[in-house]
Amino acid sequence: MKIKTFKILSLAVCSALLISSCKKQLDIPSRNSLDAGVALTTKNGIEYAINSVYSILKRESHYGRDLFSVTDAMADIAFANGRSSRLLAENRNTALANVIIWAGSYAAINEINLTLAAYPAISDATAAEKARWEGELKFLRAFYYFDLVRNYAYIPTYVVSNQDKGGVVINLQGFNSAAAATGYFPSRSSISECYSQIWSDLYRSMELLSNANKGRNYASKHAALALGSRIALYEGNWARCDSFATAAITLSGGIGSLTNTSNYVTGWRAADHPEAIFQVWYATLAENLGVNTSLAATHTTLSAPGAFAGVRQGQGDLVPNAFLLTQLGISGFPTNLAQSPPPPALTYSNDIRNRLFEWGVNASGHYVECTKWMGKNGGPNWDNTVVLRWAELYLNRAEARFRLANEAGAWSDLNVIRSNRYVGFTVPPVPLTGQALLDEIWRQRMLEFAFEGHRFYDLKRNGLSIVKTNPAVNMPATDYRLLPRIPTSEVDGNPNLVQNFGY
Amino acid sequence: MKEENFLKKVNAISDFKLRYSFGQAGNDQIGNVLYAQLYSATRLYGNASAIFPSQLGNPDLTWENREESNIGLDLGFFKNRITLTVDAYKRINKDLLLARPLYSTTGFTSIQQNLGKMENKGLELMLSVTPFDGKFKWTSTFNIAFQKNKVLELYDGLQSLPSDASIRVGSPIGSFFTAEWAGVNPATGRGMWYDINGNLTYNPTANDRKIIGDIYPSKFGGWNNTLSYKGFSLDAFFQYEYGRVRLDGQYQQMMRMAGATVNTLSYGFITRWQNPGDIVPTPRAFNGLADYNSAGWGTGSRYIFRTDYIRLKQVTLGYDIPANFAKKYRLEGARVYVQGINLWTYTEWPSYDPEFTGDNFGIIPQSKNITVGVQVRF
């Protein structure tokens, strides 16, 4: 049924775009293809081209799974139990087991560049439409480049300078001829050049986009401010991080709001998380990544909360390790994590976040699993991926304020999070200071964003070692495996492109 | 040439022919829209259509071009009781219509383009001998073919294809280009590889790759013998192939050694590393598909093996009932025979069967079979 709808839709797009130039289309045999010369000459063509840029974010390699689960497997909070052999190598920090977003991201960036070049010529579009197009495209280009550079290069706050091979390839020209593409031998820009480019796009998108734009499934000024606070945090631009987070927190007419101890759990059970400022949208059931690699399938075997005696739904490959469970205030699980049936009752502390962790179905034993995703959109394995949400704004700002020697401000932001997460929380009379304060901010980030793809980058940008007992890993931040390999096919034959250190 | 005056009177030589040919051909099997730049509408976001550039066209496509030259020699001696046929060929394929890889920073992975030049050379020999040609007749035919291909040039002076570094100027197409397996570290039980300088490493890099071999046999052929005496006849046909290597996907799958919860080959179990000092071919059993901080279990040349074999492909023993005896029973003729297929094979290939094309994972090996038959003609 879904497939049918989709085909009809694609047909409709093509025919809509065809009307303007029938002759050129005559020798194109496929109904799903159209000549590039006419694709971006109508309003619909531009809208559909922008949709494609968003749709790449849905892939397994991006926010379908890897940018969350592969990075969390590499970090120190998770255990890959081998139920389907997935994420084992990533969990052991094996060389080459890392995110692979190079080709997909550059395909998206090329589409952005082509569409940016084409939209000014659309004669029947209003100035407001054109501003929105440019704003969304520039937000997306900043977003894709930021993901590329935070993965394939060092993060500015912690660079191992004798292993630094630069940032990523920056290109702002779309490719539409064989000659240009075959004559292209790009080189890497420096890390700071990459961040400059990202800022220039992001600033432009803030000027052009309205506060909420089309909501949390699309780029908006609110999303740009939130992303800006994260980028500034990674860059070590503390004042900018502080001001962007403040701007996002105080923005009127923005998207969503911070949840508290009473609606935290229901927030996570809803298809649209109330805290989400920007999410990757899986609008139809057919778009879910299935029983092997969707976020729900990766993290849990449960079909519903409490259904540990029921039918197994997903693989449940990546589970919280003992360190994370303990930090979340959960006890009653065995040291090796696998519990033969029946599982005993777990003990939960007053941290509301731990209610999203519970016994899964017996599959080579019960494990305590993360239930942030469990088919919330209305079908198995069907969840949206929240990329930017409110809690991050406070935690970004707390860290930035700490670095700006504003410990009082940091302490206050930290307590915004803690009072909304710990039932019956009272602010301690003696504030934390110095390293203890910073450590608590980092610890709250870890608890808040467990399995949401933050922890690995938080360790990486602060130069912290990845230390795990099971599997036994003690990997300093100087280890070459922290950065992925640039695909060898990109380096072979191109003397301008320098491979990352150690590969 | 046998008809030339200087050979006519040489009785020992019964046939002498020399052949030469040269040809050129084009290949016009070019898809209709490879030249065109296309957008495709096969994506979706927000339950709305999404279009993207799906093909970067190339307006300069032309036909492929092939040049082929052959030289051959037919010789016959002693009323063709001994015959020898020799053929040598050389083919050069130019302007091959191939997907030229692009750096994915362009947003595309490849375009169709006429590129490169490849050479195929070969020599084929067939020797047929009939030592006995009376009541007892024996004919023996042996043939061997040598072949070699290599890439002569790519494009832009490249020495290897960026997307597939195994395609290299001066090396055959179908080569394996990877790091060489160095066995198991006796101290730790971890698998090791050689780096480009011949030193041991746990994590071979791209620079450590080299040509391990290729998937085309350098020599192959057969040997056929036919013996007959009165009503009895015996046919035996051997087939052989040398000089090719293959990745043994079947063996690799069955040697996962605790990498998955399935049984492993007993060879792997018996030869696994267990204690420091063990000198064994199989690394320690390890839950996972790679040891800590090591390249994966199947990396490099570990599962690449030679597929060389000699096989008794077919042997048939038959007996034709004498005609006058058959006539008594109003039969035109009758034959009794026993035939065996694939009865014996010599090979060092670890999996079931060295005679396959493509990937051997999950394929059914050639069966060995014996047929006993009676043919009666009315």
Side-chain angles (χ1 to χ4, degrees):
Chain A
M1 191 49 209
K2 286 290 169 199
I3 289 167
K4 233 181 189 173
T5 326
F6 165 63
K7 274 188 181 161
I8 292 165
L9 257 168
S10 327
L11 242 165
V13 185
C14 293
S15 33
L17 287 157
L18 280 179
I19 293 163
S20 57
S21 106
C22 284
K23 274 183 200 158
K24 237 180 164 175
Q25 277 295 300
L26 285 179
D27 52 355
I28 307 293
S30 161
R31 284 173 178 170
N32 276 330
S33 294
L34 63 156
D35 190 282
V38 302
L40 302 181
T41 54
T42 64
K43 271 165 67 169
N44 278 348
I46 300 290
E47 296 281 2
Y48 297 153
I50 297 172
N51 281 342
S52 170
V53 180
Y54 285 107
S55 79
I56 290 174
L57 295 173
K58 293 187 300 181
R59 292 183 185 170
E60 178 187 324
S61 56
H62 288 67
Y63 288 93
R65 184 191 74 168
D66 291 359
L67 285 170
F68 278 21
S69 312
V70 166
T71 65
D72 282 322
M74 290 192 293
D76 59 355
I77 55 168
F79 174 62
N81 54 28
R83 275 167 167 166
S84 78
S85 296
R86 285 182 179 79
L87 301 175
L88 279 172
E90 288 81 356
N91 196 213
R92 290 165 181 166
N93 300 89
T94 300
L96 305 186
N98 207 313
V99 299
I100 302 171
I101 57 168
W102 187 271
S105 300
Y106 280 106
I109 287 164
N110 185 51
E111 292 175 27
I112 293 168
N113 292 338
L114 289 168
T115 315
L116 279 173
Y119 86 86
I122 309 295
S123 51
D124 58 340
T126 62
E129 280 170 321
K130 290 187 179 181
R132 177 170 64 75
W133 291 339
E134 186 188 342
E136 289 191 31
L137 288 165
K138 293 217 161 143
F139 171 88
L140 287 164
R141 193 162 66 182
F143 188 53
Y144 275 107
Y145 269 127
F146 178 58
D147 271 341
L148 279 170
V149 76
R150 73 174 171 145
N151 280 291
Y152 286 97
Y154 284 109
I155 294 173
T157 49
Y158 185 80
V159 177
V160 182
S161 46
N162 63 335
Q163 296 177 178
D164 172 24
K165 303 292 179 181
V168 294
V169 173
I170 296 284
N171 172 47
L172 308 178
Q173 298 295 315
F175 285 92
N176 55 13
S177 85
T182 54
Y184 186 57
F185 296 94
S187 58
R188 299 170 72 165
S189 298
S190 71
I191 296 174
S192 68
E193 285 163 346
C194 292
Y195 279 80
S196 302
Q197 171 55 39
I198 292 166
W199 281 118
S200 116
D201 276 344
L202 201 66
Y203 273 119
R204 185 78 185 129
S205 76
M206 287 174 204
E207 288 167 26
L208 293 166
L209 290 171
S210 63
N211 291 1
N213 190 21
K214 298 197 287 175
R216 55 172 59 95
N217 301 315
Y218 296 89
S220 62
K221 182 175 181 181
H222 203 175
L225 290 169
L227 180 62
S229 83
R230 187 192 291 183
I231 295 170
L233 182 74
Y234 279 42
E235 204 186 7
N237 193 337
W238 314 118
R240 193 181 276 176
C241 175
D242 184 349
S243 66
F244 272 64
T246 304
I249 289 167
T250 56
L251 188 74
S252 64
I255 303 162
S257 58
L258 188 66
T259 56
N260 54 39
T261 50
S262 59
N263 66 352
Y264 175 83
V265 172
T266 51
W268 271 107
R269 297 283 178 246
D272 284 324
H273 195 300
E275 267 191 28
I277 298 168
F278 177 59
Q279 69 180 5
V280 176
W281 188 19
Y282 295 79
T284 62
L285 177 63
E287 290 167 72
N288 85 71
L289 297 186
V291 70
N292 288 324
T293 58
S294 66
L295 284 176
T298 299
H299 292 100
T300 188
T301 51
L302 293 167
S303 54
F308 65 82
V311 176
R312 179 177 178 185
Q313 181 76 261
Q315 300 286 3
D317 284 315
L318 194 67
V319 298
N321 63 17
F323 165 67
L324 180 65
L325 289 172
T326 307
Q327 291 291 315
L328 279 164
I330 297 173
S331 52
F333 57 88
T335 32
N336 73 349
L337 303 175
Q339 175 68 48
S340 348
L346 297 168
T347 310
Y348 291 93
S349 74
N350 65 336
D351 187 343
I352 193 72
R353 291 171 294 208
N354 59 29
R355 306 307 148 87
L356 299 176
F357 295 82
E358 61 180 72
W359 288 116
V361 171
N362 179 26
S364 315
H366 295 275
Y367 285 86
V368 180
E369 297 171 349
C370 170
T371 66
K372 287 184 174 178
W373 306 275
M374 34 178 15
K376 298 179 289 187
N377 286 19
N381 313 311
W382 185 19
D383 298 275
N384 301 325
T385 305
V386 176
V387 176
L388 295 164
R389 62 182 179 89
W390 272 78
E392 188 185 346
L393 302 174
Y394 292 96
L395 288 164
N396 289 349
R397 193 168 70 174
E399 192 171 335
R401 286 178 168 176
F402 174 85
R403 299 291 191 185
L404 290 166
N406 175 5
E407 291 200 353
W411 175 246
S412 131
D413 278 340
L414 175 67
N415 288 326
V416 170
I417 295 303
R418 296 200 295 183
S419 59
N420 284 298
R421 296 297 183 253
Y422 293 95
V423 177
F425 181 79
T426 49
V427 176
V430 182
L432 291 171
T433 57
Q435 189 63 40
L437 176 55
L438 184 61
D439 285 345
E440 179 61 11
I441 295 168
W442 285 344
R443 197 178 80 94
Q444 287 301 323
R445 279 184 85 88
M446 174 181 81
L447 300 177
E448 183 65 34
F449 298 118
F451 298 100
E452 292 178 68
H454 279 258
R455 181 65 178 168
F456 177 77
Y457 303 102
D458 289 342
L459 297 172
K460 181 180 175 182
R461 68 188 171 85
N462 290 308
L464 301 172
S465 302
I466 296 173
V467 181
K468 290 177 263 201
T469 47
N470 184 26
V473 172
N474 188 347
M475 184 170 128
T478 51
D479 195 296
Y480 78 101
R481 288 171 286 161
L482 209 60
L483 305 193
R485 182 174 74 179
I486 292 175
T488 37
S489 57
E490 298 294 301
V491 181
D492 285 343
N494 180 4
N496 300 335
L497 196 78
V498 184
Q499 180 58 275
N500 272 335
F501 174 80
Y503 297 104
Chain B
M1 259 194 242
K2 174 61 185 164
E3 306 303 314
E4 299 284 345
N5 281 336
F6 62 90
L7 276 182
K8 258 186 179 170
K9 287 179 186 158
V10 183
N11 286 334
I13 296 177
S14 47
D15 190 13
F16 193 145
K17 282 193 197 111
L18 199 57
R19 290 173 275 116
Y20 177 77
S21 70
F22 176 81
Q24 224 177 350
N27 174 8
D28 62 352
Q29 298 300 303
I30 302 179
N32 278 331
V33 289
L34 292 179
Y35 71 88
Q37 213 180 309
L38 298 178
Y39 263 65
S40 176
T42 52
R43 290 183 186 157
L44 205 60
Y45 189 74
N47 206 10
S49 268
I51 60 168
F52 65 98
S54 53
Q55 177 177 300
L56 193 59
N58 184 354
D60 304 324
L61 294 179
T62 65
W63 290 11
E64 285 186 4
N65 195 323
R66 188 170 88 176
E67 279 173 11
E68 179 166 359
S69 49
N70 280 294
I71 182 159
L73 174 69
D74 294 336
L75 274 175
F77 301 96
F78 312 114
K79 294 180 182 165
N80 286 352
R81 291 271 288 266
I82 300 175
T83 63
L84 176 69
T85 308
V86 183
D87 274 291
Y89 63 87
K90 181 169 167 179
R91 276 197 294 268
I92 298 206
N93 291 292
K94 278 193 280 202
D95 302 326
L96 303 170
L97 190 58
L98 292 173
R100 168 180 174 164
L102 294 173
Y103 295 117
S104 50
T105 36
T106 62
F108 297 91
T109 52
S110 67
I111 52 167
Q112 292 291 318
Q113 189 172 315
N114 296 100
L115 53 89
K117 202 164 155 184
M118 201 183 109
E119 176 191 80
N120 278 285
K121 279 195 297 202
L123 177 69
E124 290 166 6
L125 292 165
M126 186 164 94
L127 178 67
S128 181
V129 190
T130 310
F132 299 95
D133 193 11
K135 268 187 182 170
F136 173 62
K137 185 173 175 179
W138 174 27
T139 303
S140 182
T141 306
F142 177 79
N143 70 53
I144 185 162
F146 301 89
Q147 63 172 20
K148 215 180 199 173
N149 87 72
K150 77 178 175 204
V151 177
L152 295 180
E153 72 188 44
L154 293 165
Y155 55 90
D156 294 349
L158 284 181
Q159 291 302 298
S160 68
L161 201 60
S163 64
D164 182 353
S166 76
I167 296 180
R168 313 180 76 75
V169 172
S171 296
I173 289 225
S175 293
F176 288 95
F177 185 66
T178 186
E180 190 184 348
W181 171 247
V184 176
N185 184 339
T188 59
R190 291 169 67 182
M192 303 180 293
W193 290 265
Y194 290 112
D195 71 10
I196 198 66
N197 301 317
N199 299 322
L200 298 169
T201 175
Y202 293 124
N203 285 300
T205 68
N207 290 333
D208 300 328
R209 295 171 295 176
K210 58 182 177 187
I211 297 271
I212 301 290
D214 70 277
I215 61 167
Y216 298 108
S218 55
K219 21 190 175 316
F220 59 93
W223 182 34
N224 193 28
N225 284 286
T226 308
L227 298 98
S228 58
Y229 179 73
K230 289 188 173 168
F232 291 94
S233 68
L234 177 69
D235 277 288
F237 176 56
F238 292 87
Q239 178 178 301
Y240 64 92
E241 201 176 86
Y242 272 77
R244 88 169 177 157
V245 298
R246 272 289 186 181
L247 178 72
D248 194 342
Q250 181 75 54
Y251 185 68
Q252 176 172 6
Q253 184 74 6
M254 296 171 81
M255 285 284 283
R256 277 182 292 177
M257 299 291 297
T261 40
V262 294
N263 284 332
T264 203
L265 288 180
S266 65
Y267 168 79
F269 178 77
I270 292 161
T271 62
R272 78 191 190 283
W273 184 92
Q274 295 172 71
N275 300 302
D278 285 357
I279 296 173
V280 286
T282 308
R284 63 175 174 153
F286 195 78
N287 174 18
L289 305 178
D291 208 320
Y292 291 132
N293 193 11
S294 282
W297 55 301
T299 302
S301 66
R302 179 172 173 201
Y303 295 107
I304 296 172
F305 301 104
R306 300 175 73 89
T307 64
D308 299 349
Y309 71 89
I310 303 173
R311 166 168 282 177
L312 179 54
K313 190 71 189 160
Q314 183 182 330
V315 53
T316 310
L317 178 65
Y319 176 69
D320 284 293
I321 289 163
N324 50 6
F325 181 78
K327 258 184 190 160
K328 270 191 197 166
Y329 299 94
R330 295 184 183 170
L331 296 176
E332 219 175 283
R335 176 177 160 83
V336 186
Y337 67 95
V338 188
Q339 185 183 58
I341 308 272
N342 298 329
L343 288 187
W344 170 86
T345 305
Y346 163 78
T347 185
E348 283 168 22
W349 176 250
S351 271
Y352 303 129
D353 187 8
E355 194 186 342
F356 65 93
T357 52
D359 185 5
N360 73 327
F361 177 59
I363 63 162
I364 297 165
Q366 309 245 352
S367 58
K368 191 183 268 193
N369 66 52
I370 296 175
T371 314
V372 180
V374 182
Q375 278 179 348
V376 181
R377 292 188 300 278
F378 298 98

